[in-house]
Amino acid sequence: DRKREYPKPRSNSPDRHLVPLAASLVARDPGTGATMALKWSEDVGQLVLRSSTKAKDVALSTAAYRTIVPVILHLAELGPVLVIESTRAQAQRTASAVAEAAPSGWTPATVLRDTALALLGPDHELTGVLGKEVAYHHGTLPLDIRTEIEDAVSAGAIRVLVSTTTLTEGVNLPVRSVVIASRGSYQAGGSFEEYIRGATLLNAIGRAGRAAKETEGYVVIAMGPGSGDDHF
């Protein structure tokens, strides 16, 4: 209902429409089973459609992984957040997006950043996100860097850690919240393969809540459009 015309950069540009993207957080009361939806106060992105075909203009639309960044930043104000992504590339992209949007008051994890600078160099993507108390973690990073990242999270020097599911297996990190940002990925033929489910999903969810510090944690699963109560 808020659709509007997208400004034309040139007179011969095709007609497009812009639709602001809203988000809602649907929460369930574990005692009663009742659910309630809380609408996010600000838009989380935009969807741009070609007027003639209704096809999505990918270049002008907000990428899906960026739409969940406001939720991650909000949870980070309550305590450390572990974000689970389905692939290494997605983990790096999401970490970079969180670092870009992080408040100016977020400061570098100094010791960890110095180690990354020495081992990976100033141009490595990890070195950049570490400047805002954000890190990513996956199997292709050197083992000593991964260990340093885990130690930094345990010490409270990292606010947001974006990881593949490899981190949830055998590593007990103290985080307040877990965000399942994606549960699979699109394959070469265009089909979507969901592989963060069952025991893998439960293992990731089980990381929410810091032992000996609090009695509960928050879990947010990004479902996209069309989700409903049956997803619980």
Side-chain angles (χ1 to χ4, degrees), residues 114-203:
D114 289 346
T115 302
L117 279 168
L119 295 178
L120 303 175
D123 298 328
H124 196 279
E125 190 172 8
L126 178 62
T127 306
V129 302
L130 287 172
K132 283 295 189 76
E133 296 182 66
V134 179
Y136 62 79
H137 185 294
H138 55 62
T140 63
L141 289 174
L143 178 59
D144 44 359
I145 288 289
R146 281 181 278 156
T147 303
E148 290 275 3
I149 290 171
E150 293 162 17
D151 290 344
V153 174
S154 297
I158 295 294
R159 291 180 189 248
V160 177
L161 177 62
V162 188
S163 171
T164 56
T165 56
T166 53
L167 186 65
T168 65
E169 300 167 4
V171 179
N172 186 22
L173 291 178
V175 296
R176 176 69 180 269
S177 305
V178 171
V179 176
I180 310 296
S182 61
R183 296 181 62 184
S185 60
Y186 286 94
Q187 305 305 302
S191 61
F192 185 79
E193 182 181 353
E194 182 182 271
Y195 39 82
I196 300 181
R197 52 194 173 88
T200 302
L201 178 62
L202 290 176
N203 198 23

Side-chain angles (χ1 to χ4, degrees), residues 8 10 14 35 39 44 51 59 74 77 79 101 120 122 133-134 136-137 153 156 188 194 206 216-217 221 223 225 232:
K8 288 186 175 184
R10 296 180 300 276
T35 61
K39 187 175 180 180
V44 295
S51 301
H74 176 69
E77 296 302 317
L120 303 175
E133 296 182 66
V134 179
Y136 62 79
H137 185 294
V153 174
E194 182 182 271
E216 60 185 15
I221 301 179
M223 298 297 294
F232 283 103

